[in-house]
């Protein structure tokens, strides 16, 4: 009998939808021109590029000329932060971020600190992973040039009070960047209403191809060029455009926009069923992150007395693909910086499991998890002397 294959790691990446692939294929074969060329082949590519730019812009209520294609969320984060830093050095050298950002943000900030003399304030978060707006406002100085706070956390799913952060930034005339890699295409976003100046996005989180993303740059924002060379992306990001992937990303954004309400409702229902089933059947279990302000498809469980790596291995043997946190740091044995930042002790931060549902997840899949995860946890806990003591004490 063939082993069941169940994907529960949609925050790491998503499969490419058939409609997206179908849209891409002609640009890998028949319409292969360079969008910078003046002949018919080039114009065909340029028209596809312009269409996709409009589709991405429409997803977040931006103007097409405010969308710049990149190689993905990491590049977009790097460009936004370094681009603002270098372009605004005359005004100041202070950046504000949080302790739970993706490493694409944290490592960029650390680089600017170490090699370019910038000062960075790393804001604390509460037990749900939310920044303190009062601490944020009190951290702003005359030299503050950028606030960079993620829209929603990739590990625990908590959504930040983005509108309030945008209002604070605007009131103090400080640029506001948000890493929306997990959020854009999964929840409704209006960059104008939220006072966002720069926003990072990625295709492969919303059923588009890997290796393509975008940076929203509000018109008039002062930003240094990140990649030098040709005149592509209005002379701000050089390099021949990856038209097939850009077309795919545009189509993924169009689908996400059209299906947003159903997408949110469906994932929220599945997420609720999963949380209820696991909390009911596995004692000494908590949900990490906010229960109310949370990405619709994200669940992050904390299991006492065990480590996450063991859970992942045993689930994989059952055909279940899950994660203990960010796929970008899965090679590290250190506990999640996000879970440590929300106040979990070292040993509890090690016992985390991220299960993320998506458009291809079914209720039967959730039932399979609820049926198979409890015995996995019980088996791992049976190897823990501390768990034995707790059980004996409660008898």
């Amino acid at each position: 009998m063939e082993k069941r294959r169940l994907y529960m790691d949609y925050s790491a990446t998503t499969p490419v939808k058939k409609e997206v692939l179908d849209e891409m294929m002609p640009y890998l074969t028949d319409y292969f021109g360079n969008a910078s060329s003046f002949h018919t082949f080039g114009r065909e590519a340029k028209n596809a590029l312009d269409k996709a730019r409009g589709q991405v812009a429409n997803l977040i209520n931006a103007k097409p000329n405010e969308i710049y294609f990149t190689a993905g969320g990491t590049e977009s984060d790097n460009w936004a932060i370094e681009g603002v830093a270098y372009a605004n050095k005359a005004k100041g050298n202070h950046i504000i971020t949080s302790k739970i950002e993706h490493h694409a943000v944290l490592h960029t900030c650390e680089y600017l600190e170490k090699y370019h003399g910038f000062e960075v304030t790393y804001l604390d978060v509460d037990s749900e992973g939310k920044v303190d707006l009062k601490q944020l406002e009190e951290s702003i100085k005359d030299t503050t040039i950028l606030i960079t706070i993620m829209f929603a956390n990739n590990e625990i799913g908590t959504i930040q009070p983005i509108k309030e952060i945008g209002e604070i930034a605007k009131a103090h005339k400080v640029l506001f960047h948000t890493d929306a890699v997990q959020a854009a295409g999964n929840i409704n976003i209006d960059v104008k209403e939220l006072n966002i100046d720069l926003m990072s996005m990625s295709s492969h989180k919303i059923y588009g191809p890997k290796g393509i993303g975008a940076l929203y740059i509000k018109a008039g924002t002062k930003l240094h060029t990140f990649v030098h060379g040709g005149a592509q992306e209005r002379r701000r990001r050089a390099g021949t455009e990856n038209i097939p992937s850009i077309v795919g990303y545009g189509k993924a954004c169009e689908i996400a926009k059209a299906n947003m309400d159903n997408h949110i409702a469906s994932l929220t229902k599945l997420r609720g069923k999963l949380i209820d089933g696991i909390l009911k059947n596995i004692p000494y279990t908590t949900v990490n992150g906010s229960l109310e302000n949370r990405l619709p498809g994200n669940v992050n469980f904390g299991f006492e007395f065990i480590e996450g790596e063991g859970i992942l291995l045993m689930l994989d043997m059952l055909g279940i693909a899950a994660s203990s946190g960010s796929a970008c740091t899965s090679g590290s044995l250190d506990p999640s910086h996000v879970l440590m930042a929300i106040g979990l002790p070292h040993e509890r931060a090690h016992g985390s499991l991220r299960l993320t549902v998506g458009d291809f997840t079914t209720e039967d899949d959730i039932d399979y998890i609820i049926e198979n995860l409890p015995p996995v946890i019980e088996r791992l806990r049976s190897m823990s002397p501390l768990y034995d003591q707790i059980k004996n004490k409660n008898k």
Side-chain angles (χ1 to χ4, degrees):
M1 183 178 175
E2 186 178 352
K3 184 174 78 171
R4 181 165 182 166
R5 283 166 55 87
L6 173 52
Y7 189 74
M8 295 289 289
D9 202 14
Y10 282 83
S11 283
T13 194
T14 59
V16 175
K17 286 186 174 178
K18 184 180 184 303
E19 307 97 301
V20 172
L21 182 60
D22 289 346
E23 195 88 357
M24 293 172 64
M25 288 305 294
Y27 295 92
L28 289 163
T29 53
D30 298 334
Y31 306 112
F32 56 84
N34 187 320
S36 297
S37 299
F38 285 100
H39 47 60
T40 302
F41 292 84
R43 288 197 299 274
E44 289 168 345
K46 179 66 164 56
N47 289 340
L49 175 65
D50 291 343
K51 178 183 176 183
R53 201 184 305 279
Q55 290 168 317
V56 177
N58 187 50
L59 178 67
I60 60 170
N61 192 31
K63 300 172 185 174
N65 65 2
E66 296 175 313
I67 299 298
Y68 295 81
F69 289 110
T70 67
T74 294
E75 183 190 323
S76 295
D77 285 340
N78 276 250
W79 183 12
I81 296 166
E82 291 187 38
V84 168
Y86 300 148
N88 293 274
K89 282 192 293 185
K91 178 188 174 186
N93 70 336
H94 182 231
I95 297 168
I96 299 172
T97 189
S98 83
K99 292 180 180 178
I100 65 165
E101 298 298 309
H102 190 279
H103 282 123
V105 168
L106 292 178
H107 289 173
T108 304
C109 289
E110 290 163 7
Y111 167 78
L112 290 172
E113 279 185 293
K114 185 174 181 180
Y115 295 106
H116 294 278
F118 283 85
E119 179 190 0
V120 182
T121 296
Y122 299 89
L123 299 176
D124 295 321
V125 293
D126 63 18
S127 60
E128 293 186 343
K130 287 188 286 189
V131 297
D132 184 326
L133 295 174
K134 186 171 183 288
Q135 185 193 14
L136 167 63
E137 190 153 25
E138 289 174 348
S139 298
I140 297 174
K141 310 177 181 182
D142 291 340
T143 55
T144 305
I145 55 175
L146 177 67
I147 295 169
T148 174
I149 303 290
M150 69 193 331
F151 205 112
N153 188 263
N154 51 302
E155 292 191 34
I156 60 174
T158 297
I159 299 171
Q160 298 291 349
I162 293 297
K163 185 173 184 178
E164 291 82 354
I165 296 172
E167 289 170 351
I168 290 171
K170 185 177 181 180
H172 290 269
K173 295 181 171 57
V174 175
L175 290 175
F176 174 37
H177 163 252
T178 185
D179 173 351
V181 166
Q182 294 291 332
N186 283 308
I187 56 177
N188 288 300
I189 296 177
D190 184 328
V191 291
K192 300 291 189 284
E193 181 185 342
L194 299 174
N195 293 306
I196 296 169
D197 297 301
L198 303 109
M199 188 170 81
S200 302
M201 299 174 282
S202 181
S203 164
H204 76 104
K205 306 296 187 181
I206 60 167
Y207 312 94
K210 297 175 180 64
I212 189 71
L215 179 63
Y216 159 74
I217 306 173
K218 183 179 178 180
T221 301
K222 192 176 180 183
L223 195 77
H224 264 207
T225 296
F226 193 61
V227 180
H228 301 275
Q232 293 88 355
E233 297 303 286
R234 299 180 292 293
R235 299 187 180 275
R236 282 186 143 173
R237 200 273 189 182
T240 301
E241 297 92 348
N242 180 356
I243 299 299
S245 292
I246 288 172
V247 166
Y249 183 27
K251 184 63 175 180
C253 288
E254 180 186 86
I255 294 170
K257 179 75 172 180
N259 296 337
M260 186 67 73
D261 291 344
N262 288 335
H263 170 81
I264 293 172
S266 174
L267 267 59
T268 301
K269 181 181 177 183
L270 292 171
R271 182 194 72 191
K273 180 176 181 177
L274 179 59
I275 291 174
D276 291 344
I278 295 304
L279 293 182
K280 180 181 177 181
N281 289 285
I282 305 178
Y284 306 107
T285 300
T286 55
V287 177
N288 297 317
S290 172
L291 285 173
E292 293 183 6
N293 299 303
R294 187 184 202 95
L295 288 171
N298 176 288
V299 182
N300 190 301
F301 291 112
F303 301 104
E304 294 189 53
F305 316 117
I306 52 176
E307 293 194 354
E309 288 77 10
I311 307 173
L312 296 183
L313 288 171
M314 291 187 69
L315 288 179
D316 194 45
M317 292 173 65
L318 294 168
I320 301 169
S323 169
S324 59
S326 170
C328 301
T329 57
S330 59
S332 172
L333 294 177
D334 295 328
S336 158
H337 71 285
V338 175
L339 298 181
M340 296 294 283
I342 65 174
L344 294 188
H346 194 282
E347 62 275 11
R348 283 191 58 197
H350 263 303
S352 67
L353 175 69
R354 185 183 71 179
L355 294 166
T356 44
V357 301
D359 286 351
F360 298 104
T361 308
T362 66
E363 293 215 19
D364 183 56
D365 293 335
I366 301 300
D367 290 335
Y368 186 74
I369 297 288
I370 294 171
E371 177 186 350
N372 285 278
L373 184 56
V376 166
I377 301 301
E378 185 61 31
R379 182 178 174 188
L380 290 168
R381 283 176 173 172
S382 70
M383 306 174 194
S384 166
L386 181 58
Y387 184 56
D388 282 342
Q389 292 175 22
I390 295 293
K391 281 209 307 183
N392 290 332
K393 183 179 178 181
N394 289 338
K395 283 183 180 179

